[in-house]
Amino acid sequence: MESEKAKKIIFSESLIIFSIPIYAYILLYAFEYGYFIRLGIPTEFIEVNLSVLAKISAFLFIASTVILGLLDLIHKLVIHGKAIAIKTLNYFYIVLVVSVLPMIAFDFLKPWLPWTIITVLLALILDFVFPLIRHKNIKGYWQKVEQQFKDETKHHEDDIGDEIIKRIGYKAFRVAFYLLSFTYISFSIGAISAKYQENFLVLKSEPERILLRKYSQNFLCSEFDRNKKELLYKFSFLSVDQASERGYTISREKVGPLSKRIRIGKNID
């Protein structure tokens, strides 16, 4: 029996170690995707850098155990079975991750901010004020909230979402939720970093070009308008040898943050 348990532990640990580079690739791709989308660079040019991937894999190897262990500890000690903790965490996730991050990353979502605030306020009223009305016979506010949470849980027991969670297992669902959330956050951070990036590598050519990415021995470049701080979406690839032969120099300059120009089609040289 003990040997079987040991085999299961070894298998699960081996699976986690095997999955780390794969998930590191997903995180890096999500970050690059957000960065490219925010600046309007064709996503066909996304290529994962192996050296960066190795660094992220090493970081995840150390951080995943600490983060997931800490989350599990918080869940057991603070959240598990406590309605107020679960509801607070849900609202924190909805407001910060679902609403605030994408609105910071993409300006076209900002008009939805008032509707988001109204929706959250209505939900807060239903969750934290409605129990006072519905459970008048129960003494104590926290007890009312707990009873309301139990009623809601019982009401949703036969929902398709709850049935799916039961089938795949709550722990597996929680891990999947964390991984998807981190991926979405990585995408949002990529877009935010592109939005606020000020310093870029500038190729001193005619016309001037910004070096967006380096793939092995090739640079992905784009012409830009220095005065308007806009990419001109005239993309080209330049090899290191070509840059050296033509006597081009590269300098890091404060030419951003770059705004995204509305364009028709993709101009690729």
Side-chain angles (χ1 to χ4, degrees), residues 93-125:
Y93 180 84
I94 290 170
V95 172
L96 179 63
V97 178
V98 179
S99 302
V100 175
L101 278 180
M103 286 183 185
I104 294 174
F106 301 102
D107 296 331
F108 70 89
L109 292 175
K110 287 183 179 179
W112 290 93
L113 181 60
W115 294 105
T116 302
I117 294 173
I118 292 171
T119 303
V120 172
L121 287 175
L122 288 175
L124 282 170
I125 292 171

PDB file of all heavy atoms in Angstrom, residues 93-125:
ATOM      1  N   TYR A  93     -11.477  39.326  -7.076  1.00  0.00           N
ATOM      2  CA  TYR A  93     -11.098  38.761  -8.384  1.00  0.00           C
ATOM      3  C   TYR A  93     -11.863  39.448  -9.513  1.00  0.00           C
ATOM      4  O   TYR A  93     -11.284  39.818 -10.529  1.00  0.00           O
ATOM      5  CB  TYR A  93     -11.387  37.261  -8.392  1.00  0.00           C
ATOM      6  CG  TYR A  93     -11.021  36.573  -9.695  1.00  0.00           C
ATOM      7  CD1 TYR A  93      -9.722  36.148  -9.922  1.00  0.00           C
ATOM      8  CD2 TYR A  93     -11.970  36.378 -10.697  1.00  0.00           C
ATOM      9  CE1 TYR A  93      -9.367  35.532 -11.109  1.00  0.00           C
ATOM     10  CE2 TYR A  93     -11.624  35.763 -11.892  1.00  0.00           C
ATOM     11  CZ  TYR A  93     -10.329  35.339 -12.083  1.00  0.00           C
ATOM     12  OH  TYR A  93      -9.989  34.736 -13.272  1.00  0.00           O
ATOM     13  N   ILE A  94     -13.158  39.631  -9.324  1.00  0.00           N
ATOM     14  CA  ILE A  94     -13.991  40.242 -10.365  1.00  0.00           C
ATOM     15  C   ILE A  94     -13.564  41.685 -10.636  1.00  0.00           C
ATOM     16  O   ILE A  94     -13.425  42.097 -11.788  1.00  0.00           O
ATOM     17  CB  ILE A  94     -15.480  40.194  -9.964  1.00  0.00           C
ATOM     18  CG1 ILE A  94     -15.984  38.737 -10.007  1.00  0.00           C
ATOM     19  CG2 ILE A  94     -16.325  41.058 -10.899  1.00  0.00           C
ATOM     20  CD1 ILE A  94     -17.358  38.555  -9.412  1.00  0.00           C
ATOM     21  N   VAL A  95     -13.345  42.443  -9.566  1.00  0.00           N
ATOM     22  CA  VAL A  95     -13.015  43.860  -9.726  1.00  0.00           C
ATOM     23  C   VAL A  95     -11.605  44.034 -10.292  1.00  0.00           C
ATOM     24  O   VAL A  95     -11.392  44.780 -11.262  1.00  0.00           O
ATOM     25  CB  VAL A  95     -13.147  44.600  -8.382  1.00  0.00           C
ATOM     26  CG1 VAL A  95     -12.605  46.025  -8.504  1.00  0.00           C
ATOM     27  CG2 VAL A  95     -14.601  44.629  -7.939  1.00  0.00           C
ATOM     28  N   LEU A  96     -10.618  43.341  -9.707  1.00  0.00           N
ATOM     29  CA  LEU A  96      -9.233  43.552 -10.112  1.00  0.00           C
ATOM     30  C   LEU A  96      -8.890  42.862 -11.426  1.00  0.00           C
ATOM     31  O   LEU A  96      -8.434  43.496 -12.379  1.00  0.00           O
ATOM     32  CB  LEU A  96      -8.286  43.055  -9.016  1.00  0.00           C
ATOM     33  CG  LEU A  96      -6.786  43.200  -9.324  1.00  0.00           C
ATOM     34  CD1 LEU A  96      -6.419  44.674  -9.476  1.00  0.00           C
ATOM     35  CD2 LEU A  96      -5.947  42.559  -8.225  1.00  0.00           C
ATOM     36  N   VAL A  97      -9.126  41.547 -11.488  1.00  0.00           N
ATOM     37  CA  VAL A  97      -8.673  40.754 -12.630  1.00  0.00           C
ATOM     38  C   VAL A  97      -9.601  40.895 -13.831  1.00  0.00           C
ATOM     39  O   VAL A  97      -9.161  41.126 -14.959  1.00  0.00           O
ATOM     40  CB  VAL A  97      -8.528  39.267 -12.241  1.00  0.00           C
ATOM     41  CG1 VAL A  97      -8.098  38.430 -13.436  1.00  0.00           C
ATOM     42  CG2 VAL A  97      -7.519  39.117 -11.112  1.00  0.00           C
ATOM     43  N   VAL A  98     -10.902  40.770 -13.598  1.00  0.00           N
ATOM     44  CA  VAL A  98     -11.853  40.763 -14.708  1.00  0.00           C
ATOM     45  C   VAL A  98     -12.132  42.167 -15.232  1.00  0.00           C
ATOM     46  O   VAL A  98     -12.322  42.362 -16.439  1.00  0.00           O
ATOM     47  CB  VAL A  98     -13.172  40.082 -14.284  1.00  0.00           C
ATOM     48  CG1 VAL A  98     -14.174  40.096 -15.413  1.00  0.00           C
ATOM     49  CG2 VAL A  98     -12.904  38.642 -13.845  1.00  0.00           C
ATOM     50  N   SER A  99     -12.142  43.152 -14.345  1.00  0.00           N
ATOM     51  CA  SER A  99     -12.548  44.510 -14.757  1.00  0.00           C
ATOM     52  C   SER A  99     -11.386  45.484 -14.908  1.00  0.00           C
ATOM     53  O   SER A  99     -11.209  46.100 -15.960  1.00  0.00           O
ATOM     54  CB  SER A  99     -13.547  45.069 -13.748  1.00  0.00           C
ATOM     55  OG  SER A  99     -14.673  44.221 -13.643  1.00  0.00           O
ATOM     56  N   VAL A 100     -10.581  45.647 -13.852  1.00  0.00           N
ATOM     57  CA  VAL A 100      -9.576  46.713 -13.832  1.00  0.00           C
ATOM     58  C   VAL A 100      -8.430  46.452 -14.813  1.00  0.00           C
ATOM     59  O   VAL A 100      -8.056  47.329 -15.597  1.00  0.00           O
ATOM     60  CB  VAL A 100      -9.020  46.906 -12.407  1.00  0.00           C
ATOM     61  CG1 VAL A 100      -7.886  47.922 -12.407  1.00  0.00           C
ATOM     62  CG2 VAL A 100     -10.134  47.364 -11.474  1.00  0.00           C
ATOM     63  N   LEU A 101      -7.853  45.247 -14.779  1.00  0.00           N
ATOM     64  CA  LEU A 101      -6.705  44.943 -15.641  1.00  0.00           C
ATOM     65  C   LEU A 101      -6.998  45.181 -17.127  1.00  0.00           C
ATOM     66  O   LEU A 101      -6.236  45.870 -17.807  1.00  0.00           O
ATOM     67  CB  LEU A 101      -6.228  43.509 -15.414  1.00  0.00           C
ATOM     68  CG  LEU A 101      -5.304  43.283 -14.208  1.00  0.00           C
ATOM     69  CD1 LEU A 101      -4.908  41.816 -14.116  1.00  0.00           C
ATOM     70  CD2 LEU A 101      -4.075  44.152 -14.287  1.00  0.00           C
ATOM     71  N   PRO A 102      -8.091  44.615 -17.674  1.00  0.00           N
ATOM     72  CA  PRO A 102      -8.345  44.869 -19.107  1.00  0.00           C
ATOM     73  C   PRO A 102      -8.656  46.318 -19.419  1.00  0.00           C
ATOM     74  O   PRO A 102      -8.331  46.799 -20.511  1.00  0.00           O
ATOM     75  CB  PRO A 102      -9.546  43.959 -19.413  1.00  0.00           C
ATOM     76  CG  PRO A 102     -10.176  43.665 -18.108  1.00  0.00           C
ATOM     77  CD  PRO A 102      -9.058  43.662 -17.123  1.00  0.00           C
ATOM     78  N   MET A 103      -9.278  47.038 -18.477  1.00  0.00           N
ATOM     79  CA  MET A 103      -9.562  48.454 -18.726  1.00  0.00           C
ATOM     80  C   MET A 103      -8.293  49.295 -18.738  1.00  0.00           C
ATOM     81  O   MET A 103      -8.197  50.281 -19.465  1.00  0.00           O
ATOM     82  CB  MET A 103     -10.531  48.979 -17.670  1.00  0.00           C
ATOM     83  CG  MET A 103     -11.948  48.500 -17.878  1.00  0.00           C
ATOM     84  SD  MET A 103     -13.104  49.198 -16.687  1.00  0.00           S
ATOM     85  CE  MET A 103     -14.615  48.319 -17.137  1.00  0.00           C
ATOM     86  N   ILE A 104      -7.304  48.900 -17.934  1.00  0.00           N
ATOM     87  CA  ILE A 104      -6.014  49.587 -17.967  1.00  0.00           C
ATOM     88  C   ILE A 104      -5.296  49.285 -19.271  1.00  0.00           C
ATOM     89  O   ILE A 104      -4.701  50.160 -19.896  1.00  0.00           O
ATOM     90  CB  ILE A 104      -5.138  49.153 -16.763  1.00  0.00           C
ATOM     91  CG1 ILE A 104      -5.764  49.636 -15.451  1.00  0.00           C
ATOM     92  CG2 ILE A 104      -3.720  49.699 -16.901  1.00  0.00           C
ATOM     93  CD1 ILE A 104      -5.050  49.136 -14.216  1.00  0.00           C
ATOM     94  N   ALA A 105      -5.381  48.018 -19.707  1.00  0.00           N
ATOM     95  CA  ALA A 105      -4.654  47.586 -20.899  1.00  0.00           C
ATOM     96  C   ALA A 105      -5.254  48.139 -22.182  1.00  0.00           C
ATOM     97  O   ALA A 105      -4.519  48.536 -23.094  1.00  0.00           O
ATOM     98  CB  ALA A 105      -4.604  46.056 -20.956  1.00  0.00           C
ATOM     99  N   PHE A 106      -6.583  48.189 -22.256  1.00  0.00           N
ATOM    100  CA  PHE A 106      -7.245  48.580 -23.506  1.00  0.00           C
ATOM    101  C   PHE A 106      -8.203  49.741 -23.254  1.00  0.00           C
ATOM    102  O   PHE A 106      -9.212  49.598 -22.551  1.00  0.00           O
ATOM    103  CB  PHE A 106      -8.003  47.386 -24.092  1.00  0.00           C
ATOM    104  CG  PHE A 106      -7.114  46.205 -24.386  1.00  0.00           C
ATOM    105  CD1 PHE A 106      -7.085  45.117 -23.538  1.00  0.00           C
ATOM    106  CD2 PHE A 106      -6.295  46.203 -25.497  1.00  0.00           C
ATOM    107  CE1 PHE A 106      -6.261  44.037 -23.790  1.00  0.00           C
ATOM    108  CE2 PHE A 106      -5.463  45.121 -25.780  1.00  0.00           C
ATOM    109  CZ  PHE A 106      -5.446  44.037 -24.925  1.00  0.00           C
ATOM    110  N   ASP A 107      -7.896  50.873 -23.847  1.00  0.00           N
ATOM    111  CA  ASP A 107      -8.655  52.103 -23.608  1.00  0.00           C
ATOM    112  C   ASP A 107     -10.108  52.009 -24.062  1.00  0.00           C
ATOM    113  O   ASP A 107     -10.979  52.669 -23.499  1.00  0.00           O
ATOM    114  CB  ASP A 107      -7.976  53.281 -24.316  1.00  0.00           C
ATOM    115  CG  ASP A 107      -6.593  53.560 -23.753  1.00  0.00           C
ATOM    116  OD1 ASP A 107      -6.382  53.277 -22.565  1.00  0.00           O
ATOM    117  OD2 ASP A 107      -5.727  54.059 -24.505  1.00  0.00           O
ATOM    118  N   PHE A 108     -10.379  51.189 -25.095  1.00  0.00           N
ATOM    119  CA  PHE A 108     -11.745  51.133 -25.614  1.00  0.00           C
ATOM    120  C   PHE A 108     -12.713  50.491 -24.621  1.00  0.00           C
ATOM    121  O   PHE A 108     -13.938  50.581 -24.795  1.00  0.00           O
ATOM    122  CB  PHE A 108     -11.783  50.370 -26.951  1.00  0.00           C
ATOM    123  CG  PHE A 108     -11.537  48.897 -26.831  1.00  0.00           C
ATOM    124  CD1 PHE A 108     -12.582  48.013 -26.625  1.00  0.00           C
ATOM    125  CD2 PHE A 108     -10.251  48.389 -26.956  1.00  0.00           C
ATOM    126  CE1 PHE A 108     -12.351  46.644 -26.527  1.00  0.00           C
ATOM    127  CE2 PHE A 108     -10.017  47.029 -26.867  1.00  0.00           C
ATOM    128  CZ  PHE A 108     -11.071  46.160 -26.656  1.00  0.00           C
ATOM    129  N   LEU A 109     -12.183  49.878 -23.551  1.00  0.00           N
ATOM    130  CA  LEU A 109     -13.051  49.272 -22.534  1.00  0.00           C
ATOM    131  C   LEU A 109     -13.441  50.262 -21.432  1.00  0.00           C
ATOM    132  O   LEU A 109     -14.348  49.976 -20.645  1.00  0.00           O
ATOM    133  CB  LEU A 109     -12.349  48.066 -21.895  1.00  0.00           C
ATOM    134  CG  LEU A 109     -12.130  46.845 -22.797  1.00  0.00           C
ATOM    135  CD1 LEU A 109     -11.320  45.785 -22.059  1.00  0.00           C
ATOM    136  CD2 LEU A 109     -13.462  46.254 -23.248  1.00  0.00           C
ATOM    137  N   LYS A 110     -12.787  51.414 -21.385  1.00  0.00           N
ATOM    138  CA  LYS A 110     -13.044  52.375 -20.308  1.00  0.00           C
ATOM    139  C   LYS A 110     -14.486  52.869 -20.246  1.00  0.00           C
ATOM    140  O   LYS A 110     -15.000  53.129 -19.152  1.00  0.00           O
ATOM    141  CB  LYS A 110     -12.079  53.560 -20.419  1.00  0.00           C
ATOM    142  CG  LYS A 110     -10.658  53.208 -20.019  1.00  0.00           C
ATOM    143  CD  LYS A 110      -9.750  54.433 -20.086  1.00  0.00           C
ATOM    144  CE  LYS A 110      -8.337  54.071 -19.666  1.00  0.00           C
ATOM    145  NZ  LYS A 110      -7.421  55.237 -19.746  1.00  0.00           N
ATOM    146  N   PRO A 111     -15.186  53.048 -21.390  1.00  0.00           N
ATOM    147  CA  PRO A 111     -16.589  53.466 -21.306  1.00  0.00           C
ATOM    148  C   PRO A 111     -17.478  52.494 -20.522  1.00  0.00           C
ATOM    149  O   PRO A 111     -18.565  52.872 -20.088  1.00  0.00           O
ATOM    150  CB  PRO A 111     -17.025  53.533 -22.777  1.00  0.00           C
ATOM    151  CG  PRO A 111     -15.778  53.829 -23.527  1.00  0.00           C
ATOM    152  CD  PRO A 111     -14.711  53.067 -22.802  1.00  0.00           C
ATOM    153  N   TRP A 112     -17.015  51.258 -20.362  1.00  0.00           N
ATOM    154  CA  TRP A 112     -17.799  50.270 -19.620  1.00  0.00           C
ATOM    155  C   TRP A 112     -17.605  50.385 -18.112  1.00  0.00           C
ATOM    156  O   TRP A 112     -18.279  49.686 -17.339  1.00  0.00           O
ATOM    157  CB  TRP A 112     -17.408  48.858 -20.051  1.00  0.00           C
ATOM    158  CG  TRP A 112     -17.858  48.528 -21.451  1.00  0.00           C
ATOM    159  CD1 TRP A 112     -17.139  48.675 -22.601  1.00  0.00           C
ATOM    160  CD2 TRP A 112     -19.141  48.025 -21.844  1.00  0.00           C
ATOM    161  NE1 TRP A 112     -17.875  48.297 -23.688  1.00  0.00           N
ATOM    162  CE2 TRP A 112     -19.119  47.888 -23.258  1.00  0.00           C
ATOM    163  CE3 TRP A 112     -20.297  47.673 -21.155  1.00  0.00           C
ATOM    164  CZ2 TRP A 112     -20.206  47.417 -23.978  1.00  0.00           C
ATOM    165  CZ3 TRP A 112     -21.382  47.202 -21.875  1.00  0.00           C
ATOM    166  CH2 TRP A 112     -21.335  47.078 -23.264  1.00  0.00           C
ATOM    167  N   LEU A 113     -16.697  51.263 -17.666  1.00  0.00           N
ATOM    168  CA  LEU A 113     -16.415  51.381 -16.240  1.00  0.00           C
ATOM    169  C   LEU A 113     -17.650  51.722 -15.400  1.00  0.00           C
ATOM    170  O   LEU A 113     -17.886  51.087 -14.364  1.00  0.00           O
ATOM    171  CB  LEU A 113     -15.311  52.419 -16.010  1.00  0.00           C
ATOM    172  CG  LEU A 113     -14.894  52.645 -14.552  1.00  0.00           C
ATOM    173  CD1 LEU A 113     -14.376  51.344 -13.935  1.00  0.00           C
ATOM    174  CD2 LEU A 113     -13.830  53.741 -14.470  1.00  0.00           C
ATOM    175  N   PRO A 114     -18.479  52.723 -15.794  1.00  0.00           N
ATOM    176  CA  PRO A 114     -19.676  53.018 -14.989  1.00  0.00           C
ATOM    177  C   PRO A 114     -20.606  51.813 -14.862  1.00  0.00           C
ATOM    178  O   PRO A 114     -21.159  51.559 -13.774  1.00  0.00           O
ATOM    179  CB  PRO A 114     -20.355  54.163 -15.760  1.00  0.00           C
ATOM    180  CG  PRO A 114     -19.274  54.783 -16.557  1.00  0.00           C
ATOM    181  CD  PRO A 114     -18.355  53.672 -16.932  1.00  0.00           C
ATOM    182  N   TRP A 115     -20.791  51.066 -15.970  1.00  0.00           N
ATOM    183  CA  TRP A 115     -21.659  49.888 -15.910  1.00  0.00           C
ATOM    184  C   TRP A 115     -21.069  48.813 -15.015  1.00  0.00           C
ATOM    185  O   TRP A 115     -21.795  48.102 -14.305  1.00  0.00           O
ATOM    186  CB  TRP A 115     -21.879  49.338 -17.321  1.00  0.00           C
ATOM    187  CG  TRP A 115     -22.647  50.266 -18.200  1.00  0.00           C
ATOM    188  CD1 TRP A 115     -22.156  51.043 -19.200  1.00  0.00           C
ATOM    189  CD2 TRP A 115     -24.054  50.548 -18.125  1.00  0.00           C
ATOM    190  NE1 TRP A 115     -23.163  51.796 -19.778  1.00  0.00           N
ATOM    191  CE2 TRP A 115     -24.352  51.506 -19.136  1.00  0.00           C
ATOM    192  CE3 TRP A 115     -25.104  50.084 -17.321  1.00  0.00           C
ATOM    193  CZ2 TRP A 115     -25.635  51.995 -19.351  1.00  0.00           C
ATOM    194  CZ3 TRP A 115     -26.379  50.581 -17.536  1.00  0.00           C
ATOM    195  CH2 TRP A 115     -26.633  51.520 -18.526  1.00  0.00           C
ATOM    196  N   THR A 116     -19.756  48.700 -15.027  1.00  0.00           N
ATOM    197  CA  THR A 116     -19.091  47.731 -14.150  1.00  0.00           C
ATOM    198  C   THR A 116     -19.305  48.083 -12.686  1.00  0.00           C
ATOM    199  O   THR A 116     -19.619  47.226 -11.854  1.00  0.00           O
ATOM    200  CB  THR A 116     -17.582  47.684 -14.453  1.00  0.00           C
ATOM    201  OG1 THR A 116     -17.388  47.340 -15.824  1.00  0.00           O
ATOM    202  CG2 THR A 116     -16.885  46.663 -13.574  1.00  0.00           C
ATOM    203  N   ILE A 117     -19.156  49.373 -12.364  1.00  0.00           N
ATOM    204  CA  ILE A 117     -19.348  49.835 -10.987  1.00  0.00           C
ATOM    205  C   ILE A 117     -20.788  49.591 -10.536  1.00  0.00           C
ATOM    206  O   ILE A 117     -21.028  49.099  -9.420  1.00  0.00           O
ATOM    207  CB  ILE A 117     -18.990  51.329 -10.867  1.00  0.00           C
ATOM    208  CG1 ILE A 117     -17.497  51.534 -11.120  1.00  0.00           C
ATOM    209  CG2 ILE A 117     -19.387  51.864  -9.490  1.00  0.00           C
ATOM    210  CD1 ILE A 117     -17.087  52.992 -11.199  1.00  0.00           C
ATOM    211  N   ILE A 118     -21.751  49.920 -11.407  1.00  0.00           N
ATOM    212  CA  ILE A 118     -23.173  49.711 -11.070  1.00  0.00           C
ATOM    213  C   ILE A 118     -23.469  48.240 -10.839  1.00  0.00           C
ATOM    214  O   ILE A 118     -24.152  47.877  -9.871  1.00  0.00           O
ATOM    215  CB  ILE A 118     -24.069  50.272 -12.196  1.00  0.00           C
ATOM    216  CG1 ILE A 118     -23.974  51.797 -12.242  1.00  0.00           C
ATOM    217  CG2 ILE A 118     -25.525  49.846 -11.992  1.00  0.00           C
ATOM    218  CD1 ILE A 118     -24.652  52.414 -13.444  1.00  0.00           C
ATOM    219  N   THR A 119     -22.948  47.382 -11.716  1.00  0.00           N
ATOM    220  CA  THR A 119     -23.175  45.940 -11.593  1.00  0.00           C
ATOM    221  C   THR A 119     -22.596  45.403 -10.294  1.00  0.00           C
ATOM    222  O   THR A 119     -23.244  44.613  -9.578  1.00  0.00           O
ATOM    223  CB  THR A 119     -22.552  45.196 -12.792  1.00  0.00           C
ATOM    224  OG1 THR A 119     -23.104  45.706 -14.001  1.00  0.00           O
ATOM    225  CG2 THR A 119     -22.829  43.699 -12.697  1.00  0.00           C
ATOM    226  N   VAL A 120     -21.364  45.816  -9.974  1.00  0.00           N
ATOM    227  CA  VAL A 120     -20.721  45.353  -8.742  1.00  0.00           C
ATOM    228  C   VAL A 120     -21.479  45.844  -7.512  1.00  0.00           C
ATOM    229  O   VAL A 120     -21.668  45.100  -6.542  1.00  0.00           O
ATOM    230  CB  VAL A 120     -19.249  45.817  -8.693  1.00  0.00           C
ATOM    231  CG1 VAL A 120     -18.635  45.518  -7.324  1.00  0.00           C
ATOM    232  CG2 VAL A 120     -18.435  45.124  -9.778  1.00  0.00           C
ATOM    233  N   LEU A 121     -21.929  47.094  -7.545  1.00  0.00           N
ATOM    234  CA  LEU A 121     -22.684  47.638  -6.412  1.00  0.00           C
ATOM    235  C   LEU A 121     -23.998  46.889  -6.204  1.00  0.00           C
ATOM    236  O   LEU A 121     -24.380  46.580  -5.058  1.00  0.00           O
ATOM    237  CB  LEU A 121     -22.961  49.124  -6.624  1.00  0.00           C
ATOM    238  CG  LEU A 121     -21.768  50.068  -6.460  1.00  0.00           C
ATOM    239  CD1 LEU A 121     -22.167  51.488  -6.810  1.00  0.00           C
ATOM    240  CD2 LEU A 121     -21.224  49.991  -5.037  1.00  0.00           C
ATOM    241  N   LEU A 122     -24.695  46.583  -7.300  1.00  0.00           N
ATOM    242  CA  LEU A 122     -25.937  45.812  -7.190  1.00  0.00           C
ATOM    243  C   LEU A 122     -25.674  44.420  -6.612  1.00  0.00           C
ATOM    244  O   LEU A 122     -26.437  43.929  -5.765  1.00  0.00           O
ATOM    245  CB  LEU A 122     -26.602  45.694  -8.565  1.00  0.00           C
ATOM    246  CG  LEU A 122     -27.242  46.968  -9.130  1.00  0.00           C
ATOM    247  CD1 LEU A 122     -27.737  46.714 -10.546  1.00  0.00           C
ATOM    248  CD2 LEU A 122     -28.401  47.428  -8.234  1.00  0.00           C
ATOM    249  N   ALA A 123     -24.590  43.798  -7.073  1.00  0.00           N
ATOM    250  CA  ALA A 123     -24.237  42.473  -6.563  1.00  0.00           C
ATOM    251  C   ALA A 123     -23.874  42.540  -5.078  1.00  0.00           C
ATOM    252  O   ALA A 123     -24.238  41.660  -4.295  1.00  0.00           O
ATOM    253  CB  ALA A 123     -23.083  41.891  -7.365  1.00  0.00           C
ATOM    254  N   LEU A 124     -23.161  43.606  -4.691  1.00  0.00           N
ATOM    255  CA  LEU A 124     -22.815  43.791  -3.277  1.00  0.00           C
ATOM    256  C   LEU A 124     -24.064  43.944  -2.413  1.00  0.00           C
ATOM    257  O   LEU A 124     -24.148  43.393  -1.308  1.00  0.00           O
ATOM    258  CB  LEU A 124     -21.918  45.018  -3.120  1.00  0.00           C
ATOM    259  CG  LEU A 124     -20.439  44.849  -3.497  1.00  0.00           C
ATOM    260  CD1 LEU A 124     -19.747  46.202  -3.529  1.00  0.00           C
ATOM    261  CD2 LEU A 124     -19.742  43.921  -2.511  1.00  0.00           C
ATOM    262  N   ILE A 125     -25.038  44.696  -2.914  1.00  0.00           N
ATOM    263  CA  ILE A 125     -26.294  44.877  -2.183  1.00  0.00           C
ATOM    264  C   ILE A 125     -27.001  43.540  -2.006  1.00  0.00           C
ATOM    265  O   ILE A 125     -27.485  43.210  -0.909  1.00  0.00           O
ATOM    266  CB  ILE A 125     -27.202  45.885  -2.915  1.00  0.00           C
ATOM    267  CG1 ILE A 125     -26.593  47.290  -2.843  1.00  0.00           C
ATOM    268  CG2 ILE A 125     -28.617  45.887  -2.315  1.00  0.00           C
ATOM    269  CD1 ILE A 125     -27.297  48.311  -3.710  1.00  0.00           C
TER     270      ILE A 125
END
